[in-house]
Amino acid sequence: MRKLLFGSWLLSLFFCLSVMAQDATISGRVTSSDDGSALPGVSVQVKGTTRGTTTDANGRYTISASPRSTLVFSFIGFTNQEVAVGNRSNVTVTLESSANALNEVVVTGYGGTVNRREFTGASSKVSGSTIANLPVGSFDKALAGRAAGVQVTSANGVPGGAIQIRIRGIGSISAGSDPLYVVDGVQINSTNNSSFTSTNPLAFLNPNDIESVEILKDAAAASIYGSQAANGVVLVTTKRGKAGKTQITLNYYKGLADPIKKLDVLNTQQWIQLRTENLVNAGTAADAARSTVLQTLRLISVPGAANPNNLPASLSDAEIAALPTYDWQNAVFRQGQTDNYELGLNGGNEKTRFFVSGSYYTQSANVVNVNFKRGTLNTTLTHQINSKLSIDQTLKLSTIISNGQFGGPNGGSFLGAGAFSSPLILPSVAIYNADGSYNGTPALGGIPGILNQNVVQVSELNQIRANINQFVGSIALNYKVLDNLTIRPFVSLDYRSIRGKNFSDPRTADGINVRGRIQDQFNENKNFLTNITANYTKTVGKSDFGVLLGAEYRSDINENLLTNITNVPTPDFKYASAAALPQNIGGSWTGYRKGSVFGNIKYNFNKKYDLSFIGRLDGSSRFGANNRFGFFPSVSGAWLISEEDFLKGGRYVSDLKLRASFGTTGNDQLGSLFAAANFPGLGLVSPGYDYNSAAGFAPTQLANPDLKWETNQTINLGLDFGFLGNRITGSVDVFQRTSKDLLLPFNLPFTSGYSAISRNAGEVQNRGLELEINTVNVRAGQFQWKSSFNITTIKNKVTKLYPGIVPLNNPDSTILLSYVDFYGVGRNAILGRPLQPQFTTDYAGVNPATGRAMFYDYAGNITYRPLTPRDQKYFGTEQPKFYGGFNNTFVYGNLSLDFLFQFDYGRRSFNSQTSFLIENAGRNFNALTDVYNRRWQQAGDITDVPRAYNANAETNSVSNLGGTRTLEDASYMRLKQITLSYDVPAAISSRIKASKARIYIQGANLLTFTNWSSYDPEFLNFGSGNSGVVPNSKTYQAGINVTF
Amino acid sequence: MRTLKSIFLSTSLLTVSLLAVTACKDSTFLEVAPRSQGDSQTALTTAEGFDAAVNGIYDRLQSVVLYGRDMLAVSEALGDNAQFTNKSGRLSGENRNLISNTFGTATSGGATWQTAYFAINQANLILDNVGNVTFSDTSQRNRLQGQAYFLRALLYHDLSRIYSYDPGVAVPSQDRGGVPLITVGVADQSKITFPARAAVADVYKQIYSDLQNAIRLFSRSNPSAPAYGNLQAAQALFSRVALYNKDYATAVKYATDAISGSIKLSSNASYIGGWRAPQNPESLFEIQFIVAENIGVNTSLQTSYTTLVRTGDRTATGGFGDLVPTTAFINDLEAEKSSTGAVLDIRRQLYELGTTGRGTAFIECTKFLGKNGTINLDNVPVIRVSELYLNRAEANYNLGNTTDALTDLNVIRQRCGLTASTLTGASILTEIYRQERLEYGFEGHRWFDLKRTGQNVVKAAAQGGGLAYTDNRILAPIPVNELSTNRNIVQNFGY
């Protein structure tokens, strides 16, 4: 690389007219735009001369040059910069990291790195600095919108909660679709084993410890990881020590989080009117209806009274008008807070370098009593034992306490889920009594309506917690056998324990009748990995060869213990010994082993042509006895066109590289995340089918000894480009990812005693286009404007299910397979359609004459009673048509403004939260004001909201909440992040002996553009859609970062 | 340095080659056996295994879609005893007989069918393998084998009465036959079959044969009643099955056999108390639930039927009380009064006013009230002694033995505090039907009793207006899964 730069400098020597003038001594310092650190080893040249020097360990240099000359600063991984000297004696320069340009380094796994210029695969890099200091519990959340082909979705707004990453679409039907996460060479077990709270197995890592994240996308890049690579690989490299003076970094920020949106629901008077209307429309006499509704409402609790809570059965209009309305959303949603404290030390000498950091991070959600606390300690040590032998060691310790919401970890229609219940509770119900105590506790008879729990009480008194301790450590020896042969043994352990706790307070509805319930979970995961690799390079003439050979063994064991005990003396007793009545105890074990050999041969000719072959043989205990081993090869090549004579040195094209790859990778996430994980091919009987206190079992799985991995075949064509002196850089990739032998439930008639047997039968295709483009729009003096934009569009299609599925009895003869996916969500796969389809009946609006909900039948005729499956059709998918991000950075001197828009377009989702709110009080729930206003009221009304009708279904009709009525467009664009920062001038920062100081203010999710009618279009469907999901929040924060 | 280098090189190369060789040649290196589950090949090779396997069938019966709720509450919702309250919205579709709102469909598509067939497969596996294992105790084998036959008979009878017409009352133009008959267990892929629907007569033939086997085996063993299948329960089930089959002589025979068993009809004095005890002393067979098996506040029988936590206490609200008796049903219970105007029928005491905790109070059924000591936890009677007398009365009436019919009818009437009836002719049958309705109120019989006698279901408009016997909704739809996996299955008419 440096040779190349030197070459181009030599070229410029010939073409530029050198102007000699009287020389002066110029000195200065070169720092990195990433983190402001000193850059040692930067080449400083006087343009047009042979004169040059390099910077020292502190980034300082001295050179003699004339005032009329220009200095050229160049360094690997950074964009060259030219500065006219003028009358200055001090020229200090900040080099811009040239992320995404062809001279960055690509991390390829197993300790390997390669210059992007020679890289033949498709990958995206996100540098640590771009995702640092965001108010997120785990780094994966911060990747949203940053890389093409990488779709990042937050399951919810729980701090440190679950995140889903899908690289280049969904390539599995019923197996897992998560990428492999590798942190400093350690293959992380990313299974989420927490029973009571939404947690994220990647939250153990402080995002600010990350140097870079490399996302391997095509087979050529990922197939070195073989049967784990089909869903892509995310390689995380953490920060390392740098030789030189020990740097001490202090980092602090504080943030506030507010709800993005609250829902506009009815007041008491509107609700009484609407509910009465429901009953009247369903045939109840008006007086009786009004009396029934008033009896349903109770305003205050009067303990001890005979019939304490009822309103009188009749109230005058004036009395009704005087009834108060209470805002339950206000009581449940609140301002969250974030605090982050960090201390980092980094330094060393030529032999030993270290990086040590400690952090403490706390974040509370915008919903009552949901929060996250994490302490981390991270050390990396690199030591050169002698000229041949060096050692790399990493150790990451973290402890997390995460308080989740009562109900389910992933939300759901649970009465205790604040976000779900608060808009639905009847508006006449007071939250607190006059004395400040909770209204409507179970002891006082509950609150009226279906949601009869005071959700504030439930959220505040119950305790739902996960206490996660994790350590991830590794040690590697690098032994340089010969100058061009290195052998590297590596051992790592990823250990995680989760102590889960779910305490139902005896004063709450779920606890009162059992006098309190204590559920404890202990889950322990031991993930051991060892490998050894040998790396050999050889140059013969214009040919460079590189060979990597390796062997690997991994064993992963998970044990779980769950206890459930009721009856505590008082709410003060929250641990199991205090509980009198054991309910049940569960224990389980699962595990797998895996053995592999792999290799990579690279060949480069004349620095222009690259070729790479990868092969990996994986054996896994997860595969059936007849198919224990799978082989995953890939071949790829690249042509650096810009090095060809016809382009080299051109004015417009700085870099141009064409890449092509073909290869196969595997997916071994078979079985399910839960019960029979790791044993998908065995015939099993399962315990727990007990009766009358005696043990029982039942057959639960039929054996399939032929079961094997899923195979992905990926073809990728890519073009990396840099134009106009790399002011415009980027990549465009087209790919076709064909996922074959997909694990499918071969559905059986229930008469067989089983619902399905797992077979490798399905095929899904993802065809897509990715574009990443980075531009320097303006560079004028102290002002600079840079943009980066990425967009991905993917066509996902199920191309094969197994033969023999009987077509549905509808005119389309739809071939549909129902299954439960890896994450426990019941879904359909339809042949010829994308995965996660919406397959339902077509809502036709409201009959203007009667107010009844109408549907279209298969022939397009109106019906009140559509039949399933006859009248069902495909109505879009939960997958987006395209997604991406658009980032802009404005720098003026020490001031910079950075903002990121992220977008996700074309997702069609069932709005399960809103589906309750559009019932229009068909049951005793509150309703959306907008839907209330639009409801059909009299003959001739043209609207899409049917007349209010008790229990939501008119005689001889189906429920008016069915079909496409509850499907919504979940597309959105949001201002994901905006940061304004100021680098304090050295003159000021040096007064506190700091080498560098930066202060900033930042906002996240400040703007969201969407038609989604619920809180937040960004959520994951874990079976109950978006209902009860803690929504993401708007956050504001301010921080300071000082380096000594 | 040189030695270090060679040690390093050789160790590394050795490790690589070892790893490679073991991985490729010796795949036992990659064998991991499950520890939380068992191997299906060895599960049924010991006496203990069979015992656990039989418990596994009972566990299926506890399911919400069978006797945990649906066999009782959905059946009541479909029939004419009950009205929905909309306090949670549950069972409102079933109560209005909305299309496809039936057994198992509220929980998940076709779950009743699915759970019943899973349980039948478990019974089949036991019956297939029980002969291959030596039991040191033959009575243990008889007991386990007898239960497998008994449970298979019960499940086929339940499937048959949900999904097909009962013998003698089919609507010929809509009749698509009985349910598939599977009598061989599926332990591996090779045993999977794609059966067509059997003729209803063949289904009954199979149930008869299973019950005969159960009775034969139970006579030589002594499983504990009422938690497990037993001789008296098998005889009682036989009398019920024969009644459905219009095979009245058999119904009389087995009812008589069962009546002579050790579990007797409760007296007037102990009848209501029997409903407050964890086990009803009249139960011949009752599904047991322990604390860990609590179905909970959403779908237990207690929450389905009542808002009360305990009888006589309207201050504490427990469940939803989704399904309550219609006024007509309560009126019928109150129809016979003493000279002072007091209601004679003690069964009226099993219904009382619920709480206002979830809205307007209704009179609710309190047969399920957390009798096992924990809210929402009740054992579920499947067959009680009362049924034997009414079965025999109905069968005798149909055989022309009206005197015997009246005698049995009066056993039930007098036990409930009513006067002995002196009815004659067809009125006897009407009164037998009426007593069946009142005696089994909210125990899941009414819908099936109307159906097996070919009667229309008469309901108020608020409960959907009822349906004629010829309406296709009399039969539940076969689950879509069966149609999409098995070309030989024919869907019921009108779905």
Side-chain angles (χ1 to χ4, degrees):
Chain A
M1 186 64 219
R2 241 188 251 186
K3 278 182 188 167
L4 272 172
L5 288 171
F6 187 71
S8 48
W9 170 77
L10 275 177
L11 274 174
S12 58
L13 185 69
F14 287 113
F15 291 112
C16 296
L17 186 67
S18 64
V19 182
M20 301 300 286
Q22 193 163 16
D23 288 356
T25 300
I26 315 287
S27 64
R29 190 158 173 268
V30 183
T31 56
S32 157
S33 69
D34 277 350
D35 53 2
S37 64
L39 286 177
V42 176
S43 152
V44 186
Q45 302 283 346
V46 181
K47 193 170 179 177
T49 73
T50 54
R51 203 178 307 154
T53 181
T54 54
T55 56
D56 68 10
N58 297 318
R60 299 195 180 282
Y61 72 93
T62 309
I63 197 169
S64 58
S66 87
R68 291 171 63 189
S69 65
T70 298
L71 294 183
V72 181
F73 298 86
S74 58
F75 191 54
I76 279 185
F78 290 81
T79 310
N80 290 2
Q81 199 166 323
E82 299 186 5
V83 178
V85 173
N87 294 325
R88 290 180 288 181
S89 62
N90 185 311
V91 176
T92 288
V93 158
T94 300
L95 284 188
E96 292 293 331
S97 161
S98 52
N100 296 311
L102 275 185
N103 45 5
E104 77 178 6
V105 163
V106 179
V107 179
T108 56
Y110 293 102
T113 55
V114 59
N115 195 294
R116 188 165 295 279
R117 200 171 278 269
E118 291 156 20
F119 188 55
T120 52
S123 78
S124 288
K125 189 183 205 103
V126 178
S127 83
S129 62
T130 53
I131 57 169
N133 290 322
L134 296 176
V136 292
S138 58
F139 74 90
D140 45 356
K141 187 163 184 163
L143 296 177
R146 305 277 178 191
V150 182
Q151 190 202 5
V152 180
T153 314
S154 301
N156 48 45
V158 173
I163 306 291
Q164 176 186 281
I165 293 193
R166 293 290 173 265
I167 298 171
R168 293 189 161 182
I170 305 171
S172 266
I173 296 177
S174 73
S177 300
D178 293 312
L180 170 70
Y181 295 93
V182 182
V183 177
D184 290 336
V186 184
Q187 296 170 18
I188 300 293
N189 177 313
S190 60
T191 313
N192 191 345
N193 290 308
S194 167
S195 293
F196 306 122
T197 59
S198 181
T199 61
N200 184 331
L202 300 172
F204 76 95
L205 197 59
N206 174 9
N208 289 357
D209 285 338
I210 293 174
E211 177 69 34
S212 70
V213 179
E214 188 80 51
I215 299 151
L216 308 182
K217 298 189 287 195
D218 71 344
S223 66
I224 194 79
Y225 288 100
S227 66
Q228 302 176 97
N231 298 317
V233 181
V234 178
L235 298 172
V236 177
T237 308
T238 62
K239 289 175 182 164
R240 301 277 148 157
K242 289 169 186 151
K245 175 176 171 282
T246 301
Q247 285 189 331
I248 303 171
T249 311
L250 286 174
N251 188 20
Y252 172 73
Y253 63 78
K254 178 165 190 72
L256 300 173
D258 280 328
I260 291 174
K261 182 179 173 185
K262 285 181 193 162
L263 304 175
D264 184 9
V265 293
L266 303 185
N267 64 28
T268 299
Q269 290 70 28
Q270 290 169 317
W271 190 84
I272 291 172
Q273 189 212 340
L274 183 60
R275 181 68 193 140
T276 309
E277 200 176 304
N278 269 281
L279 295 172
V280 169
N281 286 342
T284 311
D287 287 353
R290 176 142 149 175
S291 153
T292 302
V293 173
L294 291 178
Q295 282 180 63
T296 305
L297 292 180
R298 288 167 300 146
L299 292 180
I300 47 161
S301 304
V302 184
N307 194 8
N309 304 318
N310 288 11
L311 281 175
S314 65
L315 281 181
S316 70
D317 288 349
E319 285 169 313
I320 287 178
L323 294 176
T325 294
Y326 298 89
D327 188 341
W328 281 83
Q329 291 183 79
N330 256 356
V332 163
F333 287 98
R334 45 196 62 186
Q335 193 165 63
Q337 299 216 359
T338 307
D339 285 279
N340 182 57
Y341 310 84
E342 267 174 55
L343 174 67
L345 290 165
N346 127 47
N349 52 36
E350 280 157 24
K351 287 210 147 188
T352 307
R353 287 173 291 142
F354 67 92
F355 179 88
V356 182
S357 79
S359 75
Y360 180 61
Y361 176 82
T362 67
Q363 187 178 13
S364 53
N366 57 350
V367 171
V368 53
N369 214 8
V370 176
N371 54 57
F372 177 85
K373 294 190 182 101
R374 177 187 59 209
T376 66
L377 182 64
N378 172 21
T379 70
T380 66
L381 184 70
T382 312
H383 178 68
Q384 194 76 40
I385 297 168
N386 57 39
S387 62
K388 300 275 184 192
L389 199 57
S390 71
I391 185 169
D392 286 334
Q393 175 268 344
T394 64
L395 183 62
K396 299 170 184 73
L397 303 173
S398 78
T399 180
I400 291 170
I401 296 174
S402 171
N403 282 305
Q405 66 172 348
F406 191 63
N410 301 312
S413 312
F414 293 102
L415 278 62
F420 168 73
S421 291
S422 60
L424 285 164
I425 290 177
L426 304 187
S428 59
V429 179
I431 300 150
Y432 302 102
N433 297 316
D435 63 0
S437 60
Y438 300 112
N439 174 43
T441 59
L444 298 172
I447 62 175
I450 292 176
L451 301 174
N452 68 325
Q453 304 183 9
N454 183 323
V455 70
V456 180
Q457 184 218 22
V458 167
S459 302
E460 285 180 343
L461 295 187
N462 290 323
Q463 227 182 56
I464 298 85
R465 157 179 293 210
N467 195 339
I468 305 168
N469 293 312
Q470 187 160 2
F471 74 77
V472 176
S474 71
I475 187 158
L477 277 174
N478 294 295
Y479 183 54
K480 224 173 172 179
V481 185
L482 306 164
D483 272 350
N484 55 357
L485 174 65
T486 308
I487 292 179
R488 184 170 198 262
F490 176 89
V491 182
S492 74
L493 183 63
D494 160 27
Y495 172 90
R496 179 175 68 226
S497 73
I498 301 174
R499 270 193 54 85
K501 185 161 198 67
N502 186 344
F503 175 71
S504 292
D505 191 287
R507 289 164 293 184
T508 63
D510 288 358
I512 191 160
N513 288 312
V514 292
R515 205 170 161 179
R517 182 190 299 276
I518 298 167
Q519 293 180 79
D520 284 311
Q521 178 199 18
F522 185 69
N523 185 287
E524 195 173 37
N525 201 88
K526 282 169 267 185
N527 166 20
F528 171 76
L529 175 81
T530 182
N531 57 47
I532 181 161
T533 47
N535 218 320
Y536 177 76
T537 53
K538 178 88 181 160
T539 304
V540 182
K542 289 181 168 179
S543 298
D544 292 326
F545 295 91
V547 179
L548 168 78
L549 281 178
E552 183 168 273
Y553 170 76
R554 179 174 171 186
S555 118
D556 198 310
I557 289 168
N558 189 281
E559 286 180 276
N560 197 50
L561 184 67
L562 268 172
T563 62
N564 179 345
I565 309 188
T566 60
N567 206 307
V568 297
T570 73
D572 300 333
F573 297 83
K574 293 187 170 64
Y575 278 79
S577 295
L581 289 176
Q583 302 281 304
N584 55 43
I585 295 171
S588 61
W589 182 97
T590 188
Y592 74 98
R593 287 183 200 157
K594 187 169 184 161
S596 319
V597 287
F598 52 88
N600 179 12
I601 298 169
K602 284 187 288 190
Y603 173 70
N604 175 291
F605 180 72
N606 203 16
K607 307 285 181 208
K608 282 191 231 170
Y609 310 102
D610 282 282
L611 210 52
S612 168
F613 300 92
I614 296 177
R616 178 160 174 139
L617 183 71
D618 267 343
S620 169
S621 64
R622 279 179 180 160
F623 306 151
N626 299 343
N627 269 318
R628 195 117 281 179
F629 291 93
F631 181 62
F632 306 94
S634 78
V635 55
S636 54
W639 174 29
L640 199 55
I641 309 172
S642 50
E643 284 302 300
E644 297 292 351
D645 293 341
F646 56 86
L647 277 181
K648 198 166 180 176
R651 268 178 73 188
Y652 300 108
V653 179
S654 338
D655 279 316
L656 200 62
K657 188 178 79 167
L658 191 64
R659 287 178 278 114
S661 76
F662 174 73
T664 62
T665 48
N667 182 14
D668 69 347
Q669 295 170 44
L670 308 179
S672 81
L673 205 51
F674 310 101
N678 299 322
F679 308 107
L682 300 180
L684 297 175
V685 292
S686 295
Y689 291 80
D690 306 334
Y691 181 65
N692 204 26
S693 301
F697 60 57
T700 46
Q701 186 170 287
L702 280 169
N704 177 5
D706 295 327
L707 199 81
K708 59 176 187 178
W709 55 92
E710 297 184 341
T711 305
N712 267 237
Q713 289 181 348
T714 310
I715 302 172
N716 191 84
L717 271 176
L719 188 70
D720 299 330
F721 53 83
F723 300 127
L724 304 174
N726 280 337
R727 274 182 78 151
I728 300 169
T729 61
S731 305
V732 54
D733 281 82
V734 287
F735 62 88
Q736 174 172 297
R737 174 184 175 197
T738 308
S739 308
K740 294 180 173 177
D741 301 329
L742 295 186
L743 190 74
L744 285 184
F746 183 88
N747 281 350
L748 298 172
F750 294 139
T751 50
S752 67
Y754 304 85
S755 44
I757 178 168
S758 294
R759 289 187 185 163
N760 297 90
E763 191 176 299
V764 167
Q765 204 174 62
N766 284 285
R767 286 176 164 175
L769 175 74
E770 295 169 359
L771 173 68
E772 285 185 354
I773 183 160
N774 308 290
T775 55
V776 180
N777 305 324
V778 178
R779 189 190 277 153
Q782 296 228 57
F783 180 71
Q784 199 177 57
W785 172 25
K786 291 190 297 185
S787 300
S788 65
F789 175 76
N790 73 75
I791 188 166
T792 305
T793 172
I794 292 174
K795 278 215 168 74
N796 174 285
K797 192 162 105 175
V798 176
T799 47
K800 201 170 124 198
L801 295 170
Y802 57 84
I805 298 179
V806 182
L808 289 186
N809 187 19
N810 63 13
D812 297 336
S813 295
T814 311
I815 307 277
L816 177 144
L817 178 70
S818 296
Y819 63 99
V820 175
D821 77 7
F822 190 70
Y823 309 93
V825 183
R827 294 190 186 278
N828 293 322
I830 303 174
L831 190 65
R833 298 290 189 188
L835 284 168
Q836 305 188 357
Q838 300 293 358
F839 189 70
T840 186
T841 49
D842 195 0
Y843 181 63
V846 172
N847 183 335
T850 59
R852 279 177 81 175
M854 306 184 295
F855 296 84
Y856 292 112
D857 73 3
Y858 66 96
N861 298 320
I862 295 288
T863 175
Y864 294 110
R865 220 173 73 163
L867 279 182
T868 55
R870 189 193 71 188
D871 301 329
Q872 287 180 304
K873 285 181 182 154
Y874 168 79
F875 290 98
T877 158
E878 286 186 52
Q879 297 183 67
K881 290 195 170 76
F882 59 82
Y883 57 84
F886 183 38
N887 192 79
N888 279 283
T889 309
F890 299 92
V891 182
Y892 182 76
N894 291 339
L895 206 57
S896 72
L897 175 71
D898 185 89
F899 58 89
L900 170 71
F901 279 100
Q902 181 235 339
F903 53 88
D904 195 303
Y905 179 84
R907 216 153 51 106
R908 200 115 199 259
S909 285
F910 169 56
N911 196 333
S912 55
Q913 174 81 36
T914 304
S915 76
F916 287 88
L917 287 155
I918 62 170
E919 284 189 24
N920 252 344
R923 291 185 283 170
N924 286 325
F925 289 129
N926 203 349
L928 287 177
T929 309
D930 168 54
V931 176
Y932 164 83
N933 289 335
R934 285 192 287 121
R935 78 195 185 285
W936 184 96
Q937 293 180 75
Q938 58 191 33
D941 284 356
I942 309 282
T943 175
D944 63 324
V945 181
R947 69 169 177 164
Y949 197 90
N950 188 37
N952 309 309
E954 307 222 9
T955 309
N956 253 321
S957 298
V958 297
S959 165
N960 64 31
L961 300 162
T964 49
R965 187 174 169 213
T966 51
L967 281 186
E968 285 188 32
D969 183 356
S971 303
Y972 68 91
M973 178 163 85
R974 73 178 7 156
L975 180 56
K976 198 85 182 173
Q977 178 222 331
I978 177 162
T979 310
L980 179 67
S981 68
Y982 179 67
D983 289 315
V984 179
I988 300 171
S989 61
S990 62
R991 284 189 209 158
I992 52 163
K993 305 256 191 283
S995 61
K996 192 195 146 202
R998 178 170 174 262
I999 52 175
Y1000 61 92
I1001 50 173
Q1002 189 174 69
N1005 298 339
L1006 293 189
L1007 296 171
T1008 303
F1009 306 94
T1010 182
N1011 288 325
W1012 185 247
S1013 67
S1014 190
Y1015 303 110
D1016 186 16
E1018 186 184 355
F1019 68 92
L1020 288 180
N1021 179 5
F1022 282 107
S1024 48
N1026 61 330
S1027 70
V1029 165
V1030 173
N1032 284 298
S1033 50
K1034 267 185 217 180
T1035 63
Y1036 323 87
Q1037 63 179 103
I1040 179 159
N1041 191 314
V1042 186
T1043 306
F1044 297 96
Chain B
M1 200 53 230
R2 190 130 199 106
T3 43
L4 184 66
K5 182 174 175 176
S6 53
I7 289 169
F8 207 91
L9 252 180
S10 46
T11 324
S12 309
L13 287 173
L14 198 68
T15 321
V16 173
S17 47
L18 263 178
L19 273 170
V21 168
T22 11
C24 297
K25 301 284 179 199
D26 179 12
S27 65
T28 55
F29 168 74
L30 296 172
E31 295 286 351
V32 179
R35 297 182 196 176
S36 305
Q37 285 115 350
D39 184 341
S40 58
Q41 295 307 305
T42 55
L44 290 177
T45 51
T46 62
E48 294 75 22
F50 281 98
D51 185 60
V54 169
N55 283 325
I57 309 177
Y58 287 102
D59 182 87
R60 298 278 188 201
L61 296 182
Q62 291 174 332
S63 160
V64 170
V65 296
L66 289 174
Y67 286 91
R69 185 191 73 167
D70 284 9
M71 286 308 296
L72 286 80
V74 168
S75 175
E76 292 299 342
L78 295 172
D80 59 359
N81 287 342
Q83 56 175 328
F84 74 100
T85 63
N86 205 19
K87 285 181 178 174
S88 77
R90 288 188 194 92
L91 300 172
S92 67
E94 290 83 348
N95 192 224
R96 288 175 294 167
N97 301 95
L98 298 188
I99 192 139
S100 299
N101 281 235
T102 182
F103 296 91
T105 45
T107 317
S108 73
T112 300
W113 171 289
Q114 174 179 4
T115 309
Y117 273 107
F118 281 17
I120 287 170
N121 183 49
Q122 290 167 246
N124 288 338
L125 286 169
I126 290 166
L127 295 172
D128 290 348
N129 290 291
V130 75
N132 305 331
V133 176
T134 332
F135 282 77
S136 55
D137 177 1
T138 353
S139 71
Q140 187 191 12
R141 172 154 75 197
N142 289 339
R143 194 174 73 224
L144 296 171
Q145 205 175 351
Q147 291 179 72
Y149 279 120
F150 170 75
L151 294 170
R152 189 165 75 179
L154 176 70
L155 290 158
Y156 270 125
H157 181 243
D158 284 342
L159 284 167
S160 178
R161 58 184 181 155
I162 294 172
Y163 295 100
S164 42
Y165 287 114
D166 300 305
V169 287
V171 178
S173 61
Q174 305 180 12
D175 186 8
R176 303 282 163 82
V179 295
L181 274 179
I182 315 281
T183 50
V184 176
V186 177
D188 59 64
Q189 297 187 57
S190 67
K191 295 283 196 322
I192 296 168
T193 57
F194 298 90
R197 297 175 67 167
V200 174
D202 290 336
V203 176
Y204 273 81
K205 218 157 106 188
Q206 180 65 41
I207 300 171
Y208 272 36
S209 146
D210 282 348
L211 286 172
Q212 279 154 358
N213 278 320
I215 288 168
R216 174 177 54 82
L217 290 158
F218 282 147
S219 68
R220 293 185 226 133
S221 67
N222 183 33
S224 46
Y228 296 92
N230 57 79
L231 179 63
Q232 210 179 342
Q235 291 163 338
L237 179 61
F238 212 150
S239 85
R240 179 197 288 181
V241 168
L243 194 64
Y244 274 72
N245 198 26
K246 320 277 185 290
D247 175 5
Y248 301 115
T250 307
V252 170
K253 175 191 180 306
Y254 283 104
T256 307
D257 286 355
I259 286 171
S260 69
S262 58
I263 298 171
K264 299 294 186 190
L265 191 72
S266 295
S267 68
N268 175 285
S270 63
Y271 180 73
I272 298 300
W275 277 109
R276 303 299 177 219
Q279 275 186 347
N280 191 319
E282 249 195 38
S283 284
L284 298 171
F285 178 49
E286 191 178 278
I287 309 292
Q288 308 294 301
F289 286 81
I290 62 161
V291 192
E293 295 158 347
N294 197 322
I295 287 175
V297 73
N298 287 334
T299 52
S300 71
L301 282 168
Q302 182 178 1
T303 193
S304 299
Y305 288 161
T306 181
T307 52
L308 294 165
V309 176
R310 58 194 78 82
T311 176
D313 177 4
R314 296 187 59 225
T315 60
T317 297
F320 288 97
D322 292 310
L323 201 65
V324 302
T326 58
T327 319
F329 182 84
I330 295 293
N331 287 346
D332 208 5
L333 267 177
E334 293 175 351
E336 298 179 51
K337 293 189 174 142
S338 71
S339 51
T340 59
V343 173
L344 289 173
D345 199 329
I346 59 168
R347 291 173 300 203
R348 175 63 180 80
Q349 297 167 35
L350 295 169
Y351 302 85
E352 67 180 77
L353 191 63
T355 76
T356 54
R358 296 183 190 267
T360 326
F362 290 92
I363 295 175
E364 299 169 341
C365 171
T366 60
K367 286 184 175 177
F368 302 92
L369 208 56
K371 295 173 296 184
N372 291 11
T374 307
I375 189 166
N376 297 319
L377 194 64
D378 288 282
N379 296 330
V380 179
V382 178
I383 307 176
R384 291 191 294 116
V385 180
S386 307
E387 187 184 338
L388 298 171
Y389 289 89
L390 290 167
N391 284 352
R392 194 166 66 177
E394 191 183 328
N396 268 323
Y397 176 87
N398 281 298
L399 289 167
N401 307 326
T402 44
T403 319
D404 292 341
L406 200 57
T407 309
D408 279 337
L409 174 65
N410 281 330
V411 169
I412 298 300
R413 281 184 55 87
Q414 289 178 301
R415 194 269 303 269
C416 299
L418 305 175
T419 55
S421 163
T422 55
L423 293 167
T424 55
S427 316
I428 297 178
L429 185 62
T430 311
E431 180 59 16
I432 291 170
Y433 286 163
R434 176 170 171 258
Q435 286 306 319
E436 284 173 345
R437 180 185 189 186
L438 299 177
E439 177 60 32
Y440 317 140
F442 288 77
E443 293 176 65
H445 285 245
R446 178 66 177 169
W447 167 256
F448 295 120
D449 285 341
L450 289 170
K451 173 173 168 274
R452 75 180 165 83
T453 50
Q455 301 182 68
N456 296 336
V457 184
V458 181
K459 297 164 95 161
Q463 284 89 53
L467 59 168
Y469 179 70
T470 49
D471 194 297
N472 76 305
R473 289 172 288 167
I474 289 289
L475 301 186
I478 307 279
V480 173
N481 177 71
E482 302 306 90
L483 303 163
S484 63
T485 53
N486 179 1
R487 287 176 198 274
N488 301 321
I489 289 275
V490 184
Q491 179 58 286
N492 274 329
F493 171 80
Y495 290 104

